[in-house]
Amino acid sequence: HPHYKAPRGNKLHAKSWQTEAALRMFLNNLDAEVAENPDELVVYGGIGQAARNRESLEKIIQVLLELDENHSLLVQSGKPVGVVRTHPQAPRVMIANSNLVPAWADWKHFEELRERGLMMYGQMTAGSWIYIGTQGILQGTYETFVSCGNKHFDGDLRHKLLVTGGLGGMGGAQPLAATLAGATFLGVDIDPTRIQKRIDTRYIDKMTYSYEEAIQWVMEAKEKGENLSVGLVGDIGDVLERLIQDGITPDVLTDQTSAHDPLNGYVPNGMSLEEALQLRKDNPELYKEKSIKSMARHVELMLKLQEKGAVTFDYGNNLREFARQGGCENAFNFPGFTPAYIRPLFCEGKGPFRWVALSGDPEDIYTTDQALKEAFPENDHLIKWLDEAREKVAFQGLPSRICWLGMGEREKAGLIFNDLVRTGKVKAPIIIGRDHLDCGSVASPNRETESMLDGSDAVSDWPLLNLMSNTAGGATWVSFHHGGGVGMGYSQHAGQVILADGTDRADECIRRVLYNDPAMGIFRHADAGYDKAKEVGDNFGMLI
Amino acid sequence: HPHYKAPRGNKLHAKSWQTEAALRMFLNNLDAEVAENPDELVVYGGIGQAARNRESLEKIIQVLLELDENHSLLVQSGKPVGVVRTHPQAPRVMIANSNLVPAWADWKHFEELRERGLMMYGQMTAGSWIYIGTQGILQGTYETFVSCGNKHFDGDLRHKLLVTGGLGGMGGAQPLAATLAGATFLGVDIDPTRIQKRIDTRYIDKMTYSYEEAIQWVMEAKEKGENLSVGLVGDIGDVLERLIQDGITPDVLTDQTSAHDPLNGYVPNGMSLEEALQLRKDNPELYKEKSIKSMARHVELMLKLQEKGAVTFDYGNNLREFARQGGCENAFNFPGFTPAYIRPLFCEGKGPFRWVALSGDPEDIYTTDQALKEAFPENDHLIKWLDEAREKVAFQGLPSRICWLGMGEREKAGLIFNDLVRTGKVKAPIIIGRDHLDCGSVASPNRETESMLDGSDAVSDWPLLNLMSNTAGGATWVSFHHGGGVGMGYSQHAGQVILADGTDRADECIRRVLYNDPAMGIFRHADAGYDKAKEVGDNFGMLI
Ligand SMILES: NC(=O)c1ccc[n+]([C@@H]2O[C@H](COP(=O)([O-])OP(=O)(O)OC[C@H]3O[C@@H](n4cnc5c(N)ncnc54)[C@H](O)[C@@H]3O)[C@@H](O)[C@H]2O)c1
Ligand SMILES: NC(=O)c1ccc[n+]([C@@H]2O[C@H](COP(=O)([O-])OP(=O)(O)OC[C@H]3O[C@@H](n4cnc5c(N)ncnc54)[C@H](O)[C@@H]3O)[C@@H](O)[C@H]2O)c1
């Protein structure tokens, strides 16, 4: 395949930085350093793609090179389908991926459409061109583990063993996040190439095919209070079963196998990866059946370990739902990570703020790191993270950074970045985006909106209002997806990416979009009755 | 209840015509002349509401009175939930109604949320504030009947009997549309007050409780070639059964009972309206069961009449789907009206273009009628319609007009209207909108997108791209709804309304939005493989 790589430097190929930024981030999503499988245009999360096919990819590039500031490109499930009339303060690209009318919104119908070339799976940041490699999820995972440590272990994860499954695109962030948070880590993946990738990028310390060896390593490390991370090749269900047999109970237990997709993601118990790949093709129905049954077993084992005292939570892959479908009736007996650890942050408009140096120069990111540390001197947690990240996180593709910022903070950070570009302190514009997993951008009753206070888990008016607010505010590109994270039928979510190119136009757009975007989180959680959100909303004088 | 009425004249109550227009149209939707049940804030189509409750209604008015041109109001299922930062070329109001994450997107879950005050049903133009009474659907119904006449009866519906059920908010347009098209008409409704309302507004000629009398009237009229319309009080299923017994076969057979909603809409066979209302409250489950069974019987009878030669089609109320669920296996043996009669129009970007004189002065509408006749002198069909409408259509609420216009035509008409305002030829600004049922704004596999050429019926990326295009283009308010027409789970659709206030700003927004909006229909149908859409797209040089 052609070797996808975003252009670097501050020379324009497109007509403006707005389209240049979209072009670079689109290609960056497919950079072999970033994407899980660029050959198939797959970025992460099972089959999350950046474009529908090679032809669409080329057409997108072509249109972006020609588009002016009074027009916008429309992308429908990874295919460019039209150009409409807009203006310089409007998004340059508007994307809708994988959306299906509810009564048809399942994997089966989606697969039919995909096979006929009519759709692709956008996941969250794959089809919306703001995936930045494993670092993207690293900070979120780190926040979650720290928050878990605060809640259950007095803020100290040393001498604690964290066990999980899945070390893929997102799950691969777990070992580093865990060790950053101080824990000893055991991760299980059926695919050795996935673990090797984490070794190569310094996200995980050691790898083995032997259960005995892995256990010896982690039990010794736990004993000593060492934050070692170990990747074990195998089926997560089998490993949990052995742990129970051996009387080993993890302190923290979760999972990030690609359970959201029982056909193209999760690998059923009792077969090798090769056999699984073959069965997928030969008998998809049988595969799915086996997959769902294995998930039921997997969750049964998690529930057993929970009973024995493991702090157990679902990590947003819809594992419990499919386990329930596979016959495990009390699958929802352990909580999802959002109500357990993330919702308090959402109530302050906090979410995964990320940015990328379009110059390609790591120094530009260090400059932004420094600027943020100066802007938020009282925020110890943030400063610790920025320091750790600089030291331990290897960049993938264009240099980027992520940290969780809340209401007020995002707007402030955005304006600072725009100023760095205006005054030439960084070498080219900076692009600011976020995951679709954010405080006011997603409806996903088994994940982000699980157990809302007022029972409004399934109400998806909110991500739509988020989409409209960011489109009207002037984000540089916007997106609306279905099925990210938890799979077809289970979520709807919106994304936005905004350019800091040092212009006054950018200042205005940033002031609007980076206010609106976290504001949606405040509106949504205040409306649902969360006191914290009402308090923050009152402080900002923003509730009507 | 307070008597809702939009202010008239050209004096502003709000800070700009953008918000004044939203305010007037919101109140106009609830005007007793327009709305089916203003007491309950119900506008049309079963329980389609304009606001969630009285409190939300008052708050919406209050915010609209205060909102400036750098902010926009967010409405979530009829409740105002926030104000975000935007700019003068962005929508002033952004609305998301009745949207649910697909796996929860059914009436049952919706009703639970509605009972807890968390949602309302937006239908298509109820919650998006651009319902204009029965005239709104009149033109669409007329286009459909004319198109049916062209296809099956050499363009002549005289001496033809058209039979249908349901004379409510939308269905009440059928008698006038049918007689305008030349046919003899028999409409059946279980609720006499609904028929009385059509008598009062001159949409229907005669009303009776007697089957014998109704038959005598229509058979005589048919014989003479008179375009008489008769409303008969009764259950549509019972009447169809009698027709079969009596050997009477309608020439055209369709239905517009509120079948989309088996609980709060359709009235089951074998009970009086009063008994039905009681059972709804006492035993909703039983009601629904009876309702679905009655629909199965209803469709069985339609199929029998189809066999005997009646040109039979579904008129967009999802009757076939529920009949299928009720046990009628071949319910989909007669087609929906879109593939049968409307899709060819969609391929030219044609759709239900409507506008309202905010002055409240009927003369303003006559001025626009005249301007359109001059702008499109070659369009005989349009001119005939405008003349008939002026003569036969009684205004409800603010004076308004509707006609189907296509790619190019809408933009042209919008600019002409803006010019009429600018030059003072009309007394106040004009607001331009449309139904969510349009060429590129809806995904509804049992209705607007039934039997698409490429099988993409359920792909709802398209209405989302429509929403984004119109938000970015600068419509005055935008909306995204779920479940309109065919009920929860079965459709997703976008709306837009744009102001012609005589300013340059409006010229710019109109040039963008009234291009983008029909363009979505061309993109969507060209992508699906329709030659006509490709041809139109090529003519406009708009395909990429
Ligand atoms: N919590 C979050 O914030 C968040 C965010 C995005 C995605 N997710 C979800 O997390 C999951 C993982 O995402 P990803 O991008 O890493 O997916 P991925 O497809 O890149 O990786 C999944 C990994 O699971 C492994 N696996 C599958 N079945 C297994 C089994 N039985 N035993 C052991 N390993 C197995 C695969 O080999 C693969 O390496 C997805 O379901 C995704 O939707 C969570
Ligand atoms: N084709 C279109 O363009 C289009 C557009 C919008 C809505 N619709 C659909 O058409 C249907 C009608 O819409 P509406 O606004 O008129 O609804 P409505 O609720 O105002 O009227 C429905 C009427 O059907 C009558 N009815 C119910 N059950 C009956 C029975 N068994 N026998 C006789 N009459 C019965 C009711 O008394 C009522 O008057 C809805 O399902 C709506 O979604 C179609």
Side-chain angles (χ1 to χ4, degrees):
Chain A
H1 70 95
H3 194 60
Y4 306 114
K5 201 125 207 117
R8 265 65 176 169
N10 67 6
K11 200 182 133 296
L12 278 181
H13 305 77
K15 288 192 176 162
S16 77
W17 273 106
Q18 294 190 55
T19 41
E20 180 80 19
L23 183 67
R24 291 193 188 189
M25 292 306 297
F26 174 56
L27 291 171
N28 194 56
N29 255 19
L30 291 168
D31 186 322
E33 274 184 35
V34 178
E36 293 291 313
N37 183 0
D39 270 333
E40 305 281 326
L41 309 182
V42 166
V43 182
Y44 79 98
I47 51 166
Q49 292 179 213
R52 200 184 299 175
N53 50 37
R54 201 61 57 86
E55 193 190 339
S56 290
L57 176 134
E58 281 165 20
K59 193 86 196 167
I60 287 170
I61 295 173
Q62 185 194 323
V63 176
L64 286 176
L65 287 173
E66 290 166 10
L67 202 71
D68 67 27
E69 292 198 335
N70 285 314
H71 289 89
S72 304
L73 168 63
L74 304 180
V75 177
Q76 184 261 319
S77 285
K79 179 181 179 185
V81 292
V83 165
V84 289
R85 296 180 181 170
T86 55
H87 53 80
Q89 306 237 358
R92 292 280 72 75
V93 190
M94 304 191 278
I95 301 169
N97 285 328
S98 327
N99 296 286
L100 287 167
V101 176
W104 289 261
D106 54 32
W107 281 116
K108 193 167 144 32
H109 192 72
F110 173 80
E111 281 301 339
E112 272 172 44
L113 291 166
R114 199 167 96 96
E115 261 160 42
R116 286 152 74 188
L118 294 171
M119 278 219 144
M120 69 157 205
Y121 185 46
Q123 258 287 15
M124 289 196 151
T125 53
S128 59
W129 312 344
I130 188 67
Y131 187 64
I132 54 171
T134 311
Q135 190 199 167
I137 204 64
L138 180 63
Q139 162 73 352
T141 311
Y142 171 74
E143 294 274 354
T144 304
F145 290 166
V146 167
S147 181
C148 173
N150 289 341
K151 191 157 167 182
H152 302 289
F153 305 102
D154 286 328
D156 190 359
L157 283 172
R158 273 173 316 159
H159 300 287
K160 300 288 175 281
L161 176 63
L162 193 155
V163 173
T164 186
L167 295 165
M170 315 294 291
Q174 296 177 104
L176 182 52
T179 55
L180 282 174
T184 305
F185 176 91
L186 175 63
V188 183
D189 201 298
I190 191 81
D191 183 350
T193 66
R194 296 308 192 85
I195 306 183
Q196 188 56 50
K197 186 154 184 175
R198 307 312 149 205
I199 296 269
D200 297 343
T201 52
R202 300 195 286 137
Y203 268 60
I204 206 163
D205 298 319
K206 286 176 149 189
M207 168 173 176
T208 175
Y209 286 75
S210 151
Y211 168 82
E212 289 76 13
E213 190 170 41
I215 291 304
Q216 200 192 324
W217 286 341
V218 294
M219 293 316 281
E220 264 179 42
K222 174 181 158 146
E223 180 66 29
K224 292 193 199 144
E226 275 176 14
N227 59 350
L228 178 79
S229 60
V230 174
L232 168 61
V233 182
D235 171 67
I236 177 66
D238 288 347
V239 172
L240 295 185
E241 195 163 51
R242 294 273 318 252
L243 288 177
I244 294 172
Q245 280 165 14
D246 297 351
I248 300 171
T249 301
D251 301 286
V252 181
L253 177 62
T254 187
D255 185 71
Q256 279 213 30
T257 56
S258 34
H260 70 280
D261 187 344
L263 177 57
N264 289 303
Y266 197 84
V267 175
N269 180 252
M271 58 178 72
S272 70
L273 187 57
E274 293 66 35
E275 285 165 355
L277 294 176
Q278 194 57 45
L279 186 62
R280 258 178 210 167
K281 279 190 207 136
D282 295 348
N283 194 340
E285 279 310 315
L286 180 64
Y287 187 102
K288 259 187 276 187
E289 205 186 299
K290 278 179 180 289
S291 195
I292 285 177
K293 283 231 180 79
S294 305
M295 291 195 228
R297 168 178 177 258
H298 179 170
V299 169
E300 299 282 9
L301 294 163
M302 290 177 78
L303 288 165
K304 271 197 194 132
L305 287 164
Q306 183 186 29
E307 253 172 50
K308 289 175 188 286
V311 171
T312 306
F313 61 91
D314 172 290
Y315 211 152
N317 57 0
N318 219 12
L319 177 65
R320 294 169 300 171
E321 172 68 33
F322 290 112
R324 196 185 55 75
Q325 291 179 17
C328 172
E329 273 175 31
N330 51 348
F332 280 83
N333 274 11
F334 55 84
F337 72 111
T338 307
Y341 309 119
I342 299 296
R343 186 144 316 135
L345 304 176
F346 281 174
C347 286
E348 299 177 57
K350 286 195 176 143
F353 184 84
R354 61 180 62 176
W355 64 100
V356 178
L358 294 177
S359 66
D361 189 336
E363 281 303 325
D364 279 1
I365 289 298
Y366 303 145
T367 304
T368 56
D369 283 346
Q370 188 54 36
L372 280 197
K373 283 160 74 174
E374 285 163 22
F376 302 106
E378 73 299 336
N379 192 336
D380 298 335
H381 181 66
L382 174 70
I383 292 173
K384 172 165 186 280
W385 162 255
L386 291 173
D387 288 340
E388 293 270 19
R390 172 158 185 176
E391 194 187 325
K392 304 226 175 94
V393 175
F395 292 133
Q396 298 167 259
L398 289 171
S400 62
R401 184 66 77 224
I402 178 159
C403 66
W404 279 48
L405 293 181
M407 190 68 216
E409 297 170 338
R410 300 197 207 187
E411 184 186 351
K412 185 171 170 184
L415 292 171
I416 289 172
F417 292 173
N418 201 38
D419 213 50
L420 293 177
V421 180
R422 183 187 286 115
T423 54
K425 295 201 179 109
V426 290
K427 293 173 202 71
I430 285 172
I431 192 90
I432 303 165
R434 60 159 173 80
D435 197 358
H436 285 202
L437 181 171
D438 196 358
C439 55
S441 59
V442 50
S444 182
N446 290 349
R447 203 168 94 171
E448 289 87 343
T449 53
E450 177 174 346
S451 308
M452 292 293 289
L453 212 52
D454 62 346
S456 60
D457 309 19
V459 177
S460 59
D461 293 331
W462 299 98
L464 284 155
L465 292 174
N466 179 276
L467 171 73
M468 294 184 230
S469 298
N470 290 331
T471 305
T476 309
W477 60 99
V478 291
S479 52
F480 198 88
H481 294 187
H482 161 233
V486 284
M488 288 296 139
Y490 296 100
S491 64
Q492 291 174 291
H493 34 90
Q496 70 82 9
V497 180
I498 185 160
L499 176 70
D501 61 359
T503 60
D504 293 348
R505 184 201 57 73
D507 263 350
E508 287 170 33
C509 289
I510 286 169
R511 264 200 206 97
R512 293 189 298 249
V513 171
L514 293 184
Y515 172 93
N516 295 351
D517 201 25
M520 286 308 309
I522 308 292
F523 296 150
R524 202 256 177 277
H525 289 90
D527 191 69
Y530 289 88
D531 288 333
K532 186 75 195 165
K534 289 186 205 166
E535 189 191 312
V536 176
D538 281 338
N539 289 347
F540 282 86
M542 60 194 274
L543 299 181
I544 60 172
Chain B
H1 69 95
H3 196 63
Y4 306 114
K5 201 126 208 119
R8 266 65 176 171
N10 66 6
K11 198 183 133 299
L12 277 183
H13 305 78
K15 288 192 175 161
S16 75
W17 273 106
Q18 293 189 56
T19 41
E20 179 81 18
L23 183 68
R24 290 192 187 189
M25 291 308 295
F26 174 55
L27 290 172
N28 193 57
N29 255 21
L30 290 167
D31 186 324
E33 272 184 34
V34 177
E36 293 291 315
N37 182 0
D39 270 332
E40 306 281 327
L41 308 182
V42 166
V43 182
Y44 78 97
I47 51 166
Q49 291 177 216
R52 201 185 298 175
N53 50 37
R54 199 65 55 86
E55 195 191 337
S56 290
L57 175 134
E58 280 164 19
K59 194 86 197 163
I60 287 170
I61 295 173
Q62 186 193 325
V63 176
L64 286 176
L65 287 173
E66 290 166 10
L67 202 73
D68 67 25
E69 292 198 334
N70 286 314
H71 289 90
S72 304
L73 169 64
L74 303 181
V75 177
Q76 183 260 318
S77 286
K79 179 181 178 184
V81 292
V83 165
V84 288
R85 296 182 181 169
T86 56
H87 54 79
Q89 305 235 358
R92 293 280 71 78
V93 191
M94 304 192 279
I95 301 169
N97 284 328
S98 327
N99 296 285
L100 287 167
V101 177
W104 289 262
D106 54 33
W107 280 116
K108 194 166 144 28
H109 192 72
F110 172 80
E111 281 299 341
E112 272 172 44
L113 292 166
R114 198 167 95 98
E115 261 160 41
R116 288 153 71 189
L118 294 170
M119 277 218 143
M120 68 157 208
Y121 185 47
Q123 259 287 15
M124 289 195 151
T125 54
S128 60
W129 312 344
I130 187 69
Y131 187 63
I132 53 171
T134 312
Q135 188 198 167
I137 204 65
L138 180 64
Q139 162 73 354
T141 311
Y142 171 74
E143 293 274 352
T144 304
F145 290 165
V146 167
S147 181
C148 172
N150 289 340
K151 193 158 163 181
H152 301 290
F153 304 102
D154 286 328
D156 191 357
L157 283 172
R158 272 174 314 160
H159 300 287
K160 300 287 176 282
L161 175 64
L162 193 155
V163 173
T164 186
L167 296 166
M170 315 296 291
Q174 296 176 104
L176 182 53
T179 53
L180 282 175
T184 305
F185 177 90
L186 174 64
V188 183
D189 200 298
I190 190 80
D191 183 350
T193 66
R194 296 310 191 85
I195 305 181
Q196 187 57 48
K197 186 155 184 173
R198 308 310 149 205
I199 296 268
D200 297 342
T201 51
R202 298 197 288 141
Y203 269 59
I204 205 163
D205 298 320
K206 285 178 153 188
M207 170 173 174
T208 173
Y209 286 75
S210 152
Y211 168 83
E212 289 76 13
E213 190 170 43
I215 291 303
Q216 200 193 326
W217 286 341
V218 295
M219 293 315 280
E220 262 179 44
K222 175 181 157 147
E223 179 67 31
K224 293 194 198 142
E226 273 175 16
N227 58 350
L228 178 79
S229 60
V230 174
L232 169 61
V233 182
D235 171 68
I236 177 68
D238 288 346
V239 171
L240 295 186
E241 195 163 50
R242 295 272 321 250
L243 288 178
I244 294 172
Q245 280 166 12
D246 296 352
I248 299 172
T249 301
D251 299 287
V252 181
L253 176 64
T254 186
D255 184 71
Q256 278 213 32
T257 56
S258 35
H260 70 281
D261 188 343
L263 177 58
N264 289 304
Y266 197 84
V267 175
N269 181 252
M271 57 180 71
S272 71
L273 188 56
E274 292 66 34
E275 285 164 355
L277 293 175
Q278 196 54 43
L279 185 63
R280 260 180 208 165
K281 280 189 206 138
D282 296 346
N283 194 341
E285 280 311 314
L286 180 65
Y287 187 102
K288 257 187 276 188
E289 206 186 299
K290 281 182 180 288
S291 196
I292 286 178
K293 285 232 180 77
S294 304
M295 291 196 226
R297 168 178 176 259
H298 179 170
V299 169
E300 299 283 10
L301 294 163
M302 290 178 79
L303 288 165
K304 270 198 197 131
L305 288 165
Q306 183 187 28
E307 252 173 51
K308 290 176 189 286
V311 171
T312 306
F313 62 91
D314 172 291
Y315 211 152
N317 57 359
N318 219 12
L319 177 66
R320 293 169 302 170
E321 174 67 34
F322 290 112
R324 195 184 55 75
Q325 291 178 18
C328 173
E329 274 174 32
N330 51 349
F332 280 83
N333 273 10
F334 55 83
F337 73 110
T338 307
Y341 308 119
I342 299 295
R343 187 144 312 137
L345 304 176
F346 281 173
C347 287
E348 297 177 58
K350 286 194 176 144
F353 185 84
R354 60 178 65 173
W355 64 100
V356 178
L358 293 177
S359 66
D361 189 336
E363 280 303 324
D364 279 1
I365 291 298
Y366 303 145
T367 304
T368 56
D369 283 346
Q370 187 55 34
L372 281 197
K373 283 161 74 174
E374 284 162 21
F376 302 107
E378 73 297 338
N379 192 336
D380 297 336
H381 181 64
L382 173 71
I383 291 172
K384 172 164 188 279
W385 161 255
L386 290 173
D387 288 339
E388 293 270 16
R390 171 157 186 175
E391 192 187 327
K392 303 225 174 94
V393 175
F395 292 131
Q396 299 168 259
L398 289 171
S400 62
R401 184 67 77 225
I402 179 162
C403 66
W404 279 47
L405 292 181
M407 190 69 216
E409 297 170 338
R410 300 197 206 187
E411 184 186 349
K412 185 171 170 184
L415 291 171
I416 289 172
F417 291 173
N418 201 37
D419 213 51
L420 292 178
V421 180
R422 183 186 287 113
T423 54
K425 295 202 178 107
V426 290
K427 292 171 203 73
I430 285 172
I431 193 88
I432 303 165
R434 60 160 173 77
D435 197 357
H436 284 202
L437 181 171
D438 196 0
C439 55
S441 59
V442 50
S444 184
N446 289 350
R447 202 167 95 171
E448 288 88 341
T449 52
E450 176 175 347
S451 308
M452 292 292 291
L453 213 51
D454 62 348
S456 61
D457 309 18
V459 177
S460 59
D461 293 331
W462 299 99
L464 284 155
L465 292 174
N466 180 275
L467 171 73
M468 296 184 230
S469 298
N470 290 331
T471 305
T476 309
W477 61 98
V478 291
S479 53
F480 197 87
H481 294 188
H482 161 233
V486 284
M488 289 295 139
Y490 295 101
S491 64
Q492 290 173 291
H493 35 89
Q496 70 83 10
V497 180
I498 186 160
L499 175 71
D501 61 0
T503 61
D504 292 349
R505 186 202 55 74
D507 262 350
E508 287 169 33
C509 289
I510 286 169
R511 266 200 202 96
R512 294 189 296 249
V513 171
L514 293 184
Y515 173 93
N516 295 351
D517 201 27
M520 286 307 309
I522 307 293
F523 295 151
R524 202 258 177 277
H525 289 91
D527 192 69
Y530 289 89
D531 288 333
K532 185 74 195 169
K534 289 186 204 167
E535 188 190 313
V536 176
D538 281 340
N539 289 348
F540 281 86
M542 60 192 276
L543 299 181
I544 61 172

